[in-house]
């Protein structure tokens, strides 16, 4: 039998990305030339996404998808454990994918899951709202975990299900953005970061830096609010997501600003990078620089000294997200905000 054309085949033949094909076929934005080329190739290859949409709307296939940026990240491992535990109790299989934090790769995986008729998906998103619109229009049930699609939080309050999350960030609506009617399970980033900054301020620290990565926009915004105006933007630094990039960002920050006395790392990969960079630069923790890390992972207690952390319930987050996606058939799920906790260990000390 002749193999049926896939969305990736259309993208390669048209010379565009999978995300572009998804946007065109779902009625999203694209230039007239690109739209004409994609539609022509889709017709030539006899690609029929509409049949997939009918399948998703008319029947449940069983099983769910889980997309995370990095399977080697301890936090995402904890989140996956929660999803798998809930799915196991419900007798549901799980298709697991790693996006690498790349929106284009994420869009390709979404397309593959749609073609496999996976009708429920839990995701730690890397792309923006436009990346996710084709899946939602096709009838897939989506629940976001840990964070929202990039820019969605900055541009629009969205529907009522996301209003509580946006309110945490003190954000206002912008009419030009298209909202996503998608529930999410996230940690209370604002409270966690605020508590950490207040703790460091109580120890006498005035020049506190934030080290962030992809998906940490909400945490960075919370940090800026916590330190108050005027914000020294040189002390808000981002890596691109890889461990090498995280190390380069941490090392560059510590070398360029020897006057800083404390660092808040936005995730465990960044916390690891900060520890390694401080060691390489002969900076003693906490005598020379205090360190707070977002995420409580097993190795945090094994550091010398053990790291002070903002703990978020990764396994519970995954379990709750799986519960939401499984219950979506019977009732419209609402977003969930989980509490964080500052766990004080030995990596913070008084400013000297």
């Amino acid at each position: 039998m002749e193999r049926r054309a896939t969305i990736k085949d259309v993208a390669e033949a048209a010379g565009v990305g999978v995300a572009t094909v998804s946007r065109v076929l779902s009625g999203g934005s694209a230039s007239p030339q690109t739209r004409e080329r994609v539609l022509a190739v889709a017709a030539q290859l006899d690609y029929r996404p509409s049949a997939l949409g009918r399948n998703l709307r008319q029947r449940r296939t069983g099983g769910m998808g889980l997309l995370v940026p990095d399977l080697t990240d301890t936090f995402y491992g904890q989140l996956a454990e929660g999803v798998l535990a809930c799915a196991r109790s419900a007798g549901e299989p799980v298709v697991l994918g790693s996006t690498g934090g790349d929106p284009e790769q994420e869009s390709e995986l979404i397309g593959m899951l749609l073609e496999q008729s996976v009708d429920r998906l839990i995701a730690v998103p890397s792309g923006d709202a436009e990346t996710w619109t084709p899946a939602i229009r096709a009838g897939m049930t989506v629940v976001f975990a840990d964070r929202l699609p990039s820019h969605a939080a900055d541009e629009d309050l969205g529907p009522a299900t996301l209003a509580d999350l946006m309110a945490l960030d003190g954000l206002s609506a912008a009419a030009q953005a298209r909202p996503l009617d998608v529930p999410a399970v996230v940690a209370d980033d604002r409270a966690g970061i605020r508590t950490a900054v207040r703790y460091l301020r109580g120890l006498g620290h005035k020049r506190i830096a934030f080290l962030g990565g992809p998906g940490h926009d909400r945490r960075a915004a919370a940090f800026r609010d916590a330190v108050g105006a005027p914000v020294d933007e040189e002390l808000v630094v981002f890596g691109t997501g890889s461990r090498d990039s995280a190390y380069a960002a941490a090392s560059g920050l510590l070398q360029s600003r020897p006057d800083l006395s404390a660092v808040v790392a936005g995730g465990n990969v960044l916390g690891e990078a900060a520890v390694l960079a401080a060691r390489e630069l002969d900076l003693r923790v906490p005598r020379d620089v205090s360190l707070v890390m977002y995420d409580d992972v097993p190795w945090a207690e094994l550091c010398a000294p053990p790291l002070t952390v903002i703990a978020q319930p990764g396994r519970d987050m995954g379990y709750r997200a799986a519960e939401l996606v499984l219950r979506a058939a019977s009732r419209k799920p609402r977003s969930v905000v989980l509490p964080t906790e500052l766990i004080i260990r030995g990596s913070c000390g008084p400013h000297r």
Side-chain angles (χ1 to χ4, degrees):
M1 293 180 64
E2 187 176 342
R3 183 176 72 89
R4 185 170 67 87
T6 68
I7 193 171
K8 189 174 182 181
D9 295 331
V10 176
E12 290 177 352
V16 298
V18 172
T20 301
V21 176
S22 295
R23 285 198 298 272
V24 169
L25 297 180
S26 65
S29 61
S31 69
Q33 297 87 349
T34 299
R35 182 181 301 281
E36 183 178 347
R37 185 165 72 252
V38 168
L39 292 176
V41 169
Q44 182 182 354
L45 296 178
D46 195 25
Y47 177 66
R48 297 185 297 273
S50 57
L52 164 68
R54 285 195 299 273
N55 283 344
L56 282 173
R57 284 188 290 270
Q58 291 172 3
R59 63 183 176 88
R60 287 183 60 252
T61 60
M64 67 178 75
L66 171 61
L67 297 181
V68 297
D70 182 2
L71 288 172
T72 67
D73 187 310
T74 307
F75 171 74
Y76 295 131
Q78 294 172 348
L79 188 148
E81 279 294 324
V83 171
L84 292 171
C86 183
R88 232 177 358 251
S89 66
E92 296 280 353
V94 178
V95 180
L96 180 61
S98 175
T99 66
D102 178 7
E104 190 73 23
Q105 188 171 329
E106 178 176 77
S107 185
E108 184 174 329
L109 286 169
I110 294 169
M112 289 172 57
L113 291 171
L114 284 170
E115 288 175 345
Q116 294 168 18
S117 294
V118 173
D119 61 354
R120 288 164 292 176
L121 177 60
I122 299 161
V124 180
S126 297
D128 57 18
E130 205 163 51
T131 302
W132 287 93
T133 299
I136 296 164
R137 285 185 176 176
M140 178 178 275
T141 300
V142 178
V143 173
F144 294 130
D146 182 49
R147 63 195 190 208
L148 306 177
S150 59
H151 306 305
D154 299 328
E155 296 173 354
D156 199 288
L157 289 182
T161 52
L162 290 182
D164 52 350
L165 305 183
M166 301 302 100
L168 285 172
D169 293 336
L171 298 171
S172 59
Q176 66 268 27
R178 192 181 339 178
L180 285 177
D181 190 4
V182 178
V185 182
V186 299
D188 192 345
D189 289 342
R190 176 169 290 270
I193 295 293
R194 182 175 59 233
T195 301
V197 171
R198 285 179 176 173
Y199 171 64
L200 290 169
R201 283 275 171 81
L203 292 172
H205 296 280
K206 295 180 179 178
R207 292 185 178 86
I208 305 170
F210 178 82
L211 186 60
H216 292 164
D217 293 343
R218 296 176 69 234
R219 294 174 191 173
F223 175 81
R224 289 184 175 97
D225 286 347
V227 297
V231 177
D232 186 345
E233 289 296 334
E234 287 187 354
L235 294 178
V236 182
V237 176
F238 282 81
T240 60
S242 69
R243 279 177 163 76
D244 287 344
S245 173
Y247 177 81
S251 181
L253 172 66
L254 293 173
Q255 290 183 76
S256 65
R257 293 298 299 263
D259 59 324
L260 70 82
S261 62
V263 175
V264 177
N268 67 81
V269 171
L270 295 152
E272 175 186 295
V275 170
L276 294 175
R279 186 180 301 162
E280 289 293 321
L281 295 170
D282 291 325
L283 295 175
R284 295 161 295 179
V285 177
R287 184 179 179 87
D288 299 321
V289 61
S290 290
L291 178 61
V292 177
M293 180 177 75
Y294 206 108
D295 289 340
D296 189 19
V297 292
W299 60 260
E301 288 189 277
L302 303 178
C303 287
L307 297 187
T308 294
V309 298
I310 304 166
Q312 60 172 335
R315 192 177 188 278
D316 190 28
M317 184 179 293
Y319 199 99
R320 297 287 291 275
E323 284 184 327
L324 289 188
V325 84
L326 287 170
R327 292 174 182 170
S330 58
R331 66 186 183 203
K332 186 176 179 63
R334 293 189 60 84
S335 295
V336 177
V337 181
L338 300 175
T340 56
E341 179 187 3
L342 181 67
I343 301 176
I344 298 173
R345 297 183 181 130
S347 63
C348 297
H351 179 50
R352 297 175 181 276

Tab-separated table of all heavy atoms in Angstrom, residues 126-161:
chain	number	residue	atom	x	y	z
A	126	SER	N	6.776	25.313	24.468
A	126	SER	CA	7.928	26.122	24.060
A	126	SER	C	7.527	27.165	23.028
A	126	SER	O	8.123	28.231	22.965
A	126	SER	CB	9.033	25.227	23.483
A	126	SER	OG	9.520	24.323	24.453
A	127	GLY	N	6.524	26.843	22.190
A	127	GLY	CA	6.071	27.766	21.164
A	127	GLY	C	5.042	28.750	21.692
A	127	GLY	O	4.704	28.755	22.873
A	128	ASP	N	4.535	29.591	20.780
A	128	ASP	CA	3.547	30.596	21.159
A	128	ASP	C	2.138	30.070	20.901
A	128	ASP	O	1.947	28.912	20.541
A	128	ASP	CB	3.803	31.920	20.422
A	128	ASP	CG	3.795	31.732	18.908
A	128	ASP	OD1	3.281	30.703	18.418
A	128	ASP	OD2	4.304	32.637	18.215
A	129	ALA	N	1.158	30.947	21.079
A	129	ALA	CA	-0.240	30.538	20.923
A	129	ALA	C	-0.523	30.016	19.525
A	129	ALA	O	-1.307	29.082	19.343
A	129	ALA	CB	-1.159	31.725	21.239
A	130	GLU	N	0.124	30.597	18.522
A	130	GLU	CA	-0.119	30.185	17.137
A	130	GLU	C	0.351	28.752	16.896
A	130	GLU	O	-0.207	28.034	16.072
A	130	GLU	CB	0.579	31.140	16.182
A	130	GLU	CG	-0.063	31.183	14.804
A	130	GLU	CD	0.364	32.398	14.018
A	130	GLU	OE1	1.588	32.614	13.925
A	130	GLU	OE2	-0.495	33.117	13.495
A	131	THR	N	1.386	28.319	17.609
A	131	THR	CA	1.867	26.945	17.482
A	131	THR	C	0.804	25.957	17.906
A	131	THR	O	0.688	24.858	17.346
A	131	THR	CB	3.126	26.743	18.351
A	131	THR	OG1	4.137	27.671	17.946
A	131	THR	CG2	3.668	25.323	18.229
A	132	TRP	N	0.001	26.349	18.898
A	132	TRP	CA	-0.954	25.423	19.509
A	132	TRP	C	-2.351	25.500	18.912
A	132	TRP	O	-3.166	24.596	19.113
A	132	TRP	CB	-1.013	25.678	21.016
A	132	TRP	CG	0.220	25.172	21.663
A	132	TRP	CD1	1.364	25.867	21.935
A	132	TRP	CD2	0.476	23.830	22.047
A	132	TRP	NE1	2.314	25.046	22.471
A	132	TRP	CE2	1.797	23.778	22.559
A	132	TRP	CE3	-0.284	22.658	22.025
A	132	TRP	CZ2	2.364	22.608	23.032
A	132	TRP	CZ3	0.290	21.491	22.496
A	132	TRP	CH2	1.591	21.480	22.992
A	133	THR	N	-2.631	26.548	18.145
A	133	THR	CA	-3.972	26.708	17.582
A	133	THR	C	-4.413	25.542	16.696
A	133	THR	O	-5.551	25.073	16.807
A	133	THR	CB	-4.060	28.037	16.810
A	133	THR	OG1	-3.810	29.115	17.720
A	133	THR	CG2	-5.430	28.217	16.192
A	134	PRO	N	-3.538	25.001	15.796
A	134	PRO	CA	-3.986	23.887	14.945
A	134	PRO	C	-4.457	22.671	15.732
A	134	PRO	O	-5.470	22.053	15.379
A	134	PRO	CB	-2.737	23.562	14.111
A	134	PRO	CG	-1.967	24.831	14.067
A	134	PRO	CD	-2.188	25.466	15.409
A	135	ALA	N	-3.758	22.314	16.790
A	135	ALA	CA	-4.142	21.144	17.587
A	135	ALA	C	-5.494	21.366	18.256
A	135	ALA	O	-6.344	20.465	18.294
A	135	ALA	CB	-3.080	20.854	18.637
A	136	ILE	N	-5.703	22.566	18.779
A	136	ILE	CA	-6.961	22.858	19.472
A	136	ILE	C	-8.117	22.890	18.484
A	136	ILE	O	-9.199	22.376	18.756
A	136	ILE	CB	-6.824	24.186	20.246
A	136	ILE	CG1	-5.764	24.031	21.349
A	136	ILE	CG2	-8.145	24.619	20.842
A	136	ILE	CD1	-5.262	25.321	21.911
A	137	ARG	N	-7.871	23.474	17.297
A	137	ARG	CA	-8.915	23.508	16.270
A	137	ARG	C	-9.261	22.104	15.774
A	137	ARG	O	-10.389	21.852	15.349
A	137	ARG	CB	-8.462	24.376	15.097
A	137	ARG	CG	-8.521	25.872	15.388
A	137	ARG	CD	-8.181	26.656	14.149
A	137	ARG	NE	-8.334	28.090	14.381
A	137	ARG	CZ	-8.024	29.019	13.485
A	137	ARG	NH1	-7.547	28.661	12.307
A	137	ARG	NH2	-8.187	30.285	13.762
A	138	ALA	N	-8.286	21.203	15.793
A	138	ALA	CA	-8.529	19.833	15.339
A	138	ALA	C	-9.319	19.021	16.355
A	138	ALA	O	-9.718	17.899	16.083
A	138	ALA	CB	-7.201	19.143	15.045
A	139	GLY	N	-9.525	19.579	17.548
A	139	GLY	CA	-10.314	18.892	18.564
A	139	GLY	C	-9.504	18.222	19.646
A	139	GLY	O	-10.057	17.507	20.487
A	140	MET	N	-8.182	18.415	19.649
A	140	MET	CA	-7.348	17.814	20.689
A	140	MET	C	-7.573	18.525	22.022
A	140	MET	O	-7.668	19.743	22.089
A	140	MET	CB	-5.867	17.897	20.297
A	140	MET	CG	-4.908	17.346	21.333
A	140	MET	SD	-3.177	17.423	20.792
A	140	MET	CE	-3.045	15.903	19.855
A	141	THR	N	-7.670	17.740	23.097
A	141	THR	CA	-7.772	18.288	24.450
A	141	THR	C	-6.365	18.544	24.967
A	141	THR	O	-5.559	17.616	25.053
A	141	THR	CB	-8.502	17.313	25.386
A	141	THR	OG1	-9.818	17.078	24.883
A	141	THR	CG2	-8.588	17.877	26.793
A	142	VAL	N	-6.046	19.800	25.301
A	142	VAL	CA	-4.698	20.190	25.713
A	142	VAL	C	-4.733	20.774	27.120
A	142	VAL	O	-5.635	21.549	27.456
A	142	VAL	CB	-4.096	21.231	24.739
A	142	VAL	CG1	-2.709	21.667	25.207
A	142	VAL	CG2	-4.021	20.662	23.322
A	143	VAL	N	-3.753	20.390	27.933
A	143	VAL	CA	-3.527	20.997	29.246
A	143	VAL	C	-2.057	21.383	29.326
A	143	VAL	O	-1.178	20.555	29.066
A	143	VAL	CB	-3.883	20.037	30.399
A	143	VAL	CG1	-3.468	20.633	31.744
A	143	VAL	CG2	-5.384	19.735	30.404
A	144	PHE	N	-1.780	22.633	29.644
A	144	PHE	CA	-0.401	23.086	29.813
A	144	PHE	C	0.051	22.839	31.250
A	144	PHE	O	-0.748	22.926	32.191
A	144	PHE	CB	-0.259	24.566	29.482
A	144	PHE	CG	-0.518	24.894	28.036
A	144	PHE	CD1	-1.394	25.918	27.687
A	144	PHE	CD2	0.099	24.183	27.021
A	144	PHE	CE1	-1.636	26.211	26.359
A	144	PHE	CE2	-0.139	24.470	25.689
A	144	PHE	CZ	-1.007	25.484	25.354
A	145	ALA	N	1.336	22.542	31.421
A	145	ALA	CA	1.908	22.331	32.749
A	145	ALA	C	3.171	23.171	32.896
A	145	ALA	O	3.907	23.366	31.923
A	145	ALA	CB	2.232	20.851	32.963
A	146	ASP	N	3.420	23.657	34.077
A	146	ASP	CA	4.612	24.418	34.463
A	146	ASP	C	4.623	25.837	33.931
A	146	ASP	O	5.041	26.756	34.624
A	146	ASP	CB	5.883	23.678	34.042
A	146	ASP	CG	7.149	24.401	34.468
A	146	ASP	OD1	7.234	24.780	35.653
A	146	ASP	OD2	8.059	24.593	33.637
A	147	ARG	N	4.178	26.039	32.680
A	147	ARG	CA	4.187	27.385	32.115
A	147	ARG	C	3.173	27.482	30.976
A	147	ARG	O	2.608	26.481	30.544
A	147	ARG	CB	5.580	27.748	31.598
A	147	ARG	CG	6.082	26.880	30.456
A	147	ARG	CD	7.578	27.077	30.289
A	147	ARG	NE	8.098	26.468	29.077
A	147	ARG	CZ	9.345	26.019	28.940
A	147	ARG	NH1	10.176	26.118	29.970
A	147	ARG	NH2	9.772	25.488	27.821
A	148	LEU	N	2.975	28.720	30.503
A	148	LEU	CA	2.053	28.994	29.404
A	148	LEU	C	2.849	29.193	28.124
A	148	LEU	O	4.063	29.418	28.171
A	148	LEU	CB	1.228	30.238	29.716
A	148	LEU	CG	0.486	30.241	31.051
A	148	LEU	CD1	-0.228	31.571	31.245
A	148	LEU	CD2	-0.495	29.090	31.115
A	149	PRO	N	2.190	29.131	26.954
A	149	PRO	CA	2.906	29.409	25.703
A	149	PRO	C	3.576	30.773	25.740
A	149	PRO	O	3.041	31.726	26.308
A	149	PRO	CB	1.797	29.356	24.642
A	149	PRO	CG	0.770	28.461	25.228
A	149	PRO	CD	0.790	28.747	26.700
A	150	SER	N	4.750	30.882	25.135
A	150	SER	CA	5.485	32.137	25.151
A	150	SER	C	4.658	33.246	24.528
A	150	SER	O	3.947	33.030	23.548
A	150	SER	CB	6.800	31.985	24.364
A	150	SER	OG	6.545	31.615	23.025
A	151	HIS	N	4.747	34.428	25.126
A	151	HIS	CA	4.052	35.643	24.705
A	151	HIS	C	2.569	35.645	25.041
A	151	HIS	O	1.974	36.698	25.113
A	151	HIS	CB	4.229	35.918	23.209
A	151	HIS	CG	5.652	35.952	22.774
A	151	HIS	ND1	6.575	36.769	23.360
A	151	HIS	CD2	6.320	35.232	21.827
A	151	HIS	CE1	7.750	36.584	22.786
A	151	HIS	NE2	7.618	35.659	21.863
A	152	ALA	N	1.954	34.449	25.211
A	152	ALA	CA	0.524	34.451	25.522
A	152	ALA	C	0.270	35.197	26.828
A	152	ALA	O	-0.669	35.977	26.942
A	152	ALA	CB	-0.006	33.029	25.628
A	153	ALA	N	1.148	34.984	27.812
A	153	ALA	CA	0.970	35.644	29.106
A	153	ALA	C	1.212	37.142	29.000
A	153	ALA	O	0.667	37.928	29.754
A	153	ALA	CB	1.920	35.046	30.137
A	154	ASP	N	2.060	37.561	28.013
A	154	ASP	CA	2.376	38.971	27.889
A	154	ASP	C	1.339	39.724	27.082
A	154	ASP	O	1.232	40.936	27.184
A	154	ASP	CB	3.737	39.139	27.187
A	154	ASP	CG	4.850	38.499	27.980
A	154	ASP	OD1	4.755	38.490	29.207
A	154	ASP	OD2	5.803	38.003	27.368
A	155	GLU	N	0.568	39.008	26.230
A	155	GLU	CA	-0.264	39.699	25.270
A	155	GLU	C	-1.749	39.664	25.588
A	155	GLU	O	-2.496	40.518	25.150
A	155	GLU	CB	-0.047	39.102	23.874
A	155	GLU	CG	1.384	39.304	23.379
A	155	GLU	CD	1.641	38.560	22.087
A	155	GLU	OE1	0.748	37.817	21.652
A	155	GLU	OE2	2.726	38.718	21.528
A	156	ASP	N	-2.214	38.636	26.308
A	156	ASP	CA	-3.653	38.525	26.453
A	156	ASP	C	-4.010	37.776	27.722
A	156	ASP	O	-3.344	36.824	28.082
A	156	ASP	CB	-4.225	37.777	25.239
A	156	ASP	CG	-5.710	38.013	25.079
A	156	ASP	OD1	-6.475	37.473	25.900
A	156	ASP	OD2	-6.107	38.719	24.144
A	157	LEU	N	-5.069	38.212	28.357
A	157	LEU	CA	-5.558	37.497	29.524
A	157	LEU	C	-6.157	36.168	29.143
A	157	LEU	O	-6.151	35.232	29.918
A	157	LEU	CB	-6.629	38.330	30.244
A	157	LEU	CG	-6.148	39.568	30.983
A	157	LEU	CD1	-7.318	40.214	31.665
A	157	LEU	CD2	-5.069	39.229	31.965
A	158	GLY	N	-6.687	36.095	27.922
A	158	GLY	CA	-7.318	34.861	27.498
A	158	GLY	C	-8.655	34.676	28.177
A	158	GLY	O	-9.211	35.590	28.770
A	159	PRO	N	-9.200	33.449	28.121
A	159	PRO	CA	-10.506	33.173	28.696
A	159	PRO	C	-10.450	33.116	30.207
A	159	PRO	O	-9.396	33.219	30.821
A	159	PRO	CB	-10.847	31.802	28.109
A	159	PRO	CG	-9.511	31.179	27.867
A	159	PRO	CD	-8.599	32.307	27.464
A	160	ALA	N	-11.607	32.900	30.801
A	160	ALA	CA	-11.707	32.898	32.262
A	160	ALA	C	-10.832	31.839	32.890
A	160	ALA	O	-10.340	32.002	33.996
A	160	ALA	CB	-13.164	32.675	32.667
A	161	THR	N	-10.597	30.717	32.194
A	161	THR	CA	-9.803	29.643	32.782
A	161	THR	C	-8.363	30.059	33.027
A	161	THR	O	-7.672	29.463	33.835
A	161	THR	CB	-9.803	28.409	31.867
A	161	THR	OG1	-9.412	28.802	30.560
A	161	THR	CG2	-11.162	27.754	31.838
